[in-house]
Amino acid sequence: MNFHVLTLFPEMILQGLGTSIIGRAISKGSISLEAVNIRDYTLNKHKKVDDYPYGGGAGMLMQAQPVYDTWKAVREKIRARGGNEENVRVVYMTPQGKNFCQSMAREFAKEEDLILLCGHYEGIDERVLEEIVTDYVSIGDYVLTGGELPAMVMIDAISRMVPGVLTNEDSGETESFSNYLLEYPQYSRPEVWMDKRVPEVLLSGDHKKVEEWRLEQSLEKTKKLRNDLYEKWVEENQEYFIKKEKREARRLKKERKKGKLI
Ligand code: ADE
């Protein structure tokens, strides 16, 4: 996966994503990241990239020309590398876009190249957006000062879904949202900390029991914190509750039998 970020603040992107797991993925070559400075493509002799909005109103707008020429330069680079520049998606980060979620991250991770366009000031001239943008994406219902943080959030979440980025130890599929459920609680050494014991089942060595416990914990937590996700899971996993009921019935029958025998 090759990320191309069109921005007025390339250092923000490169510094923000240069460390930890994403930094390692870039060094390994599992993903590549370039941040292209829109200002480098302005034809204005004072390097200006913004102007007042027609019709008045607060703030400045990013102009069409520098954005369009940056996009053209990136497409040309992709073409020269033998990539499929005609079909490269261009994502504009905007609070007016579709809310970003895990399934979107998984979809975007299938792309070979992805262009992320970061706006600043009051936004970007509509005409260039109409011309180049394929996807409008928001990272939540609040307004940030620019698209760089949202672009970083997207790149992080998408990269985790790219094969080779996570090591075997941290497979992306077992975690929160991969199946609507929030992650179960986890514990590490010591066994007792501030009088709090690690749940007994995790020390039992019984993998089946551990798996069952973790699923129950996930369900409980999701129901409590994100009932919307819980209901989606329930809808798609009816057989879990049927099996659980049968298990419970078998257990009760066994217990009754034992009771009679004693
Ligand atoms: N730009 C400013 N705020 C944003 C948000 N919430 N999501 C995406 N891009 C933005």
Side-chain angles (χ1 to χ4, degrees):
M1 159 67 80
N2 306 299
F3 294 103
H4 313 268
V5 184
L6 317 189
T7 170
L8 288 173
F9 302 96
E11 68 288 354
M12 192 173 166
I13 300 288
L14 297 176
Q15 281 170 16
L17 293 167
T19 49
S20 187
I21 295 175
I22 305 304
R24 185 186 68 195
I26 295 168
S27 306
K28 271 202 307 190
S30 306
I31 60 170
S32 80
L33 172 65
E34 69 160 349
V36 188
N37 196 338
I38 294 170
R39 199 176 297 280
D40 291 345
Y41 290 87
T42 181
L43 297 176
N44 179 282
K45 62 175 185 252
H46 304 294
K47 290 271 167 202
K48 234 169 74 88
V49 291
D50 60 338
D51 211 330
Y52 296 100
Y54 279 116
M60 304 287 266
L61 273 189
M62 280 169 70
Q63 292 168 286
Q65 176 274 317
V67 173
Y68 189 70
D69 286 356
T70 313
W71 169 75
K72 273 207 313 204
V74 168
R75 286 218 335 166
E76 180 49 35
K77 239 187 273 181
I78 294 169
R79 195 190 65 75
R81 208 199 55 222
N84 184 1
E85 90 283 359
E86 287 295 330
N87 293 319
V88 176
R89 288 165 82 169
V90 179
V91 182
Y92 176 47
M93 315 307 310
T94 166
Q96 295 163 20
K98 198 168 160 197
N99 267 343
F100 187 54
C101 61
Q102 192 64 39
S103 58
M104 252 192 208
R106 215 173 291 126
E107 276 306 305
F108 281 127
K110 293 178 190 157
E111 301 290 327
E112 182 66 27
D113 289 275
L114 201 57
I115 298 176
L116 298 137
L117 172 60
C118 304
H120 243 274
Y121 315 118
E122 284 308 304
I124 301 181
D125 189 309
E126 190 67 23
R127 292 167 296 183
V128 68
L129 299 179
E130 283 170 10
E131 203 59 39
I132 70 172
V133 173
T134 58
D135 301 76
Y136 293 78
V137 177
S138 165
I139 62 158
D141 294 338
Y142 41 82
V143 182
L144 300 166
T145 55
E148 283 74 15
L149 285 170
M152 286 193 262
V153 167
M154 276 191 72
I155 291 169
D156 190 292
I158 295 167
S159 298
R160 293 178 72 259
M161 296 292 116
V162 172
V165 170
L166 296 185
T167 56
N168 285 341
E169 282 164 20
D170 40 26
S171 157
E173 282 310 310
T174 59
E175 290 175 34
S176 294
F177 296 111
S178 62
N179 57 6
Y180 299 127
L181 294 183
L182 303 184
E183 211 181 345
Y184 45 79
Q186 303 246 50
Y187 305 85
S188 185
R189 279 196 278 195
E191 245 176 74
V192 183
W193 180 78
M194 302 252 279
D195 287 340
K196 288 170 182 263
R197 286 199 71 79
V198 170
E200 214 53 49
V201 62
L202 299 179
L203 310 172
S204 69
D206 184 333
H207 292 300
K208 194 158 172 267
K209 279 230 170 73
V210 169
E211 285 308 306
E212 276 171 18
W213 180 85
R214 284 180 167 166
L215 180 55
E216 281 300 318
Q217 291 287 314
S218 282
L219 285 167
E220 225 172 84
K221 193 167 163 186
T222 312
K223 191 173 179 184
K224 195 164 145 202
L225 300 176
R226 289 292 305 271
N227 198 252
D228 55 326
L229 294 177
Y230 176 77
E231 280 173 3
K232 273 189 192 167
W233 192 89
V234 170
E235 210 177 291
E236 290 183 16
N237 291 275
Q238 289 296 320
E239 84 286 357
Y240 171 78
F241 294 98
I242 296 167
K243 274 188 196 158
K244 194 175 162 187
E245 249 171 51
K246 281 186 183 162
R247 254 202 329 266
E248 190 60 12
R250 271 201 305 275
R251 195 184 60 77
L252 283 174
K253 198 171 157 189
K254 238 187 202 168
E255 267 179 20
R256 268 200 302 273
K257 218 166 160 186
K258 245 198 226 163
K260 263 187 206 155
L261 288 175
I262 288 167

